[in-house]
Amino acid sequence: MGIIRISGEKAFPAAEKIFRPARPKNWQGESHRLHYGHVVDFSTGKVIDEVLLTVMKSPYTYTRENVVEINCHGGIVPLRETMRLVLAAGARLADPGEFTKRAFINGRIDLTQAESVIDIIRSKTEASLKVALSQLEGGLSARITFLQDNILGILAQLEAAIDFPEDDVDIESYREVQKKALEIVKELDLLIDAAVKGKIYREGIRTVITGRPNVGKSSLLNALLGRERAIVTCIPGTTRDVIEETINIRGIPLVLADTAGLRETSDLVEKIGVEKTREFLAGADLMLFVVDAHEGITLEDREILQTLPGEKTILIINKTDLAERTGVIREENIPSVEISALKGEGIELLEDKIEEIITGGGIVTPESIIISNVRHEEILIRARGHMAEFCSSLEENIPLDLMSIDIRNSWEALGEITGSTVTENLLDRIFSDFCIGK
Ligand code: GDP
């Protein structure tokens, strides 16, 4: 089983060459129809496979071009053979992402939507997928377009003042412009914040499991891994030459750094020393600090604990299944969870805690926009920079036409997110909204 998709002007002629419908009929007649038949080798007349052919006519297709999909019923050999015939009949192999690229070029989707298709394919967890899907629906585009419209409003007011300098720009409209501009900066700040959160889903939370030897770090790791069916991927570390492993906790990808090393030596602290540990931990987003319930928090534990940033640390009291406990097992200001890694008890509570700390009370709500794309984040920061520049030049005595450059730049930057065109669009908008020539 497999589907071969052909798109473009030559899609129908290519399919014509290799497809023999079961009942002689004009399969190209109606759009969005399925036709039963066979793929036949046009040079030998040999039947290759039994297929269903889907016919979709431009413009109501994914690419807005004519599209034919051949649903092959045989195994991998007939599928390959059909592919060979399709190529021989005049098609060529699509580049990666080419169907989506064409959908964008032909105006069916905008850039954010095209990019979300890639994110969907790459999403690490279901939550990442949800983020990508909401982007596909156009939530981000709508926000950006709304912001752009507001920026144009300001620009139009400025342009009017530049074109008709004899009409003094009154203080009221000046205040109005300032207020609008500040609101836009605020909105951009929110979106940039959303991008920071989006990073969680794109890159995952860098997590370190630490603690003295034999407290149960490896066992905890195994318990976490064992619970989650999805060990998502093994990627080479980006900053250091280590293997990182991603596990999925409630949809949040946790990137466990150096777990291979951890498992081998079973002891990060001993291996590299407290001083080095501190350095290593500085780059982490989440610390799981394991102690032994049986032994309580020892002096050494406390020493390590003091080097860990409290807001990112969870104290894990392991081996609660061992009957007697000694020592103190509470620490001020650090959330703690009691578990038995060996018996798999308390792991769910730990997951609750992790989720709580990372999401700060739930970041993925259906309405919330999350920016998971680095390109978008970079553009938002740039657009915000221009707007902030404009706001501060409002305070100074800067010529209007110079100020309008910042506004324009901000508008254009945002357009790079959706891929909207630039100058013509801009002029059209200004003239349709304001009757300057009146
Ligand atoms: P690490 O050196 O911190 O990685 O510790 P390990 O995970 O290798 O565990 C050290 C020892 O403690 C092993 O013998 C484990 O079986 C045992 N252990 C780990 N977790 C628990 C637990 O929850 N209960 C009990 N009773 N033993 C545990």
Side-chain angles (χ1 to χ4, degrees):
M1 279 285 297
I3 297 173
I4 294 170
R5 180 195 267 169
I6 320 171
S7 178
E9 260 177 34
K10 292 189 196 155
F12 289 175
E16 174 87 60
K17 265 186 128 168
I18 63 167
F19 179 63
R20 190 201 293 154
R23 273 179 293 146
K25 62 184 157 197
N26 174 20
W27 59 263
Q28 299 180 27
E30 276 181 274
S31 188
H32 293 75
R33 286 274 179 276
L34 271 180
H35 299 273
Y36 173 73
H38 293 89
V39 166
V40 176
D41 187 331
F42 50 82
S43 54
T44 62
K46 190 178 148 208
V47 173
I48 304 297
D49 200 358
E50 181 187 50
V51 298
L52 280 173
L53 192 88
T54 314
V55 177
M56 289 167 282
K57 286 192 177 178
S58 165
Y60 303 108
T61 67
Y62 185 66
T63 54
R64 279 202 170 160
E65 302 167 336
N66 282 342
V67 171
V68 175
E69 284 177 4
I70 307 173
N71 219 307
C72 298
H73 289 178
I76 189 78
V77 176
L79 181 68
R80 272 214 198 119
E81 193 60 4
T82 303
M83 191 69 188
R84 183 185 66 75
L85 285 172
V86 168
L87 297 178
R92 68 162 173 82
L93 274 182
D95 297 329
E98 190 172 357
F99 290 103
T100 305
K101 188 171 154 205
R102 288 192 185 189
F104 166 64
I105 288 171
N106 296 328
R108 200 182 75 82
I109 53 175
D110 72 21
L111 264 190
T112 65
Q113 291 169 311
E115 289 172 303
S116 73
V117 173
I118 300 163
D119 289 344
I120 286 169
I121 295 166
R122 288 190 188 151
S123 39
K124 282 191 162 113
T125 67
E126 256 173 65
S128 328
L129 180 64
K130 202 160 135 195
V131 171
L133 282 173
S134 83
Q135 190 171 310
L136 181 63
E137 281 163 13
L140 177 60
S141 311
R143 282 279 275 276
I144 297 294
T145 308
F146 176 74
L147 271 179
Q148 279 192 295
D149 284 351
N150 286 344
I151 294 175
L152 277 190
I154 295 179
L155 186 55
Q157 261 174 310
L158 279 185
E159 302 268 314
I162 292 166
D163 288 351
F164 302 95
E166 65 275 15
D167 302 346
D168 276 346
V169 189
D170 59 85
I171 213 78
E172 200 175 315
S173 59
Y174 169 85
R175 289 268 167 253
E176 201 185 309
V177 162
Q178 191 177 38
K179 191 165 153 254
K180 276 188 196 160
L182 286 171
E183 269 166 23
I184 291 166
V185 171
K186 223 160 89 190
E187 180 72 13
L188 284 170
D189 278 338
L190 285 178
L191 287 175
I192 290 166
D193 186 44
V196 172
K197 287 176 177 166
K199 229 180 236 165
I200 292 173
Y201 291 93
R202 188 179 65 243
E203 292 171 8
I205 298 289
R206 292 182 62 85
T207 307
V208 175
I209 301 178
T210 184
R212 285 183 298 107
N214 287 319
V215 289
K217 297 181 292 297
S218 310
S219 309
L220 170 62
L221 178 65
N222 288 333
L224 286 172
L225 289 175
R227 271 179 63 81
E228 302 299 329
R229 271 159 298 144
I231 298 173
V232 186
T233 152
C234 261
I235 44 168
T238 40
T239 50
R240 291 149 19 97
D241 195 18
V242 295
I243 298 297
E244 293 175 339
E245 199 157 15
T246 306
I247 62 169
N248 171 359
I249 302 288
R250 307 269 167 89
I252 304 162
L254 292 198
V255 180
L256 290 158
D258 210 9
T259 54
L262 188 66
R263 258 181 281 184
E264 264 166 38
T265 65
S266 237
D267 180 19
L268 187 63
V269 179
E270 191 172 77
K271 188 174 150 207
I272 53 183
V274 175
E275 206 42 49
K276 280 262 167 149
T277 309
R278 196 193 318 225
E279 238 170 69
F280 182 72
L281 299 183
D285 305 308
L286 179 67
M287 239 70 72
L288 304 180
F289 181 62
V290 187
V291 297
D292 185 329
H294 184 62
E295 299 170 342
I297 296 183
T298 65
L299 213 62
E300 199 185 342
D301 283 336
R302 195 153 280 129
E303 269 172 19
I304 303 172
L305 201 51
Q306 270 161 11
T307 68
L308 304 180
E311 73 283 3
K312 293 198 239 169
T313 304
I314 300 178
L315 175 64
I316 295 170
I317 299 145
N318 187 34
K319 309 195 188 181
T320 50
D321 56 294
L322 293 180
E324 345 116 47
R325 299 181 196 169
T326 55
V328 188
I329 33 183
R330 284 262 164 266
E331 276 295 300
E332 299 282 314
N333 305 326
I334 295 178
S336 62
V337 186
E338 298 190 5
I339 66 162
S340 166
L342 198 67
K343 303 205 158 164
E345 287 164 9
I347 302 295
E348 201 158 317
L349 286 177
L350 172 60
E351 291 186 358
D352 284 344
K353 210 40 115 201
I354 292 175
E355 191 181 23
E356 197 183 305
I357 286 187
I358 301 304
T359 64
I363 30 173
V364 186
T365 63
E367 323 78 62
S368 70
I369 284 196
I370 287 183
I371 313 236
S372 60
N373 182 302
V374 199
R375 189 180 77 86
H376 297 169
E377 184 180 359
E378 180 270 316
I379 291 173
L380 287 167
I381 291 169
R382 190 146 43 89
R384 190 211 182 271
H386 290 304
M387 273 321 281
E389 192 68 26
F390 171 73
C391 287
S392 59
S393 54
L394 271 176
E395 303 284 332
E396 295 154 29
N397 208 3
I398 287 173
L400 288 177
D401 44 354
L402 277 186
M403 282 204 250
S404 74
I405 291 173
D406 276 324
I407 291 288
R408 239 177 247 271
N409 285 342
S410 186
W411 188 86
E412 278 179 19
L414 290 180
E416 288 172 36
I417 290 185
T418 55
S420 63
T421 52
V422 187
T423 37
E424 234 183 337
N425 216 338
L426 170 66
L427 295 174
D428 286 351
R429 262 287 315 210
I430 291 173
F431 288 115
S432 68
D433 257 28
F434 283 75
C435 315
I436 286 180
K438 195 174 84 172

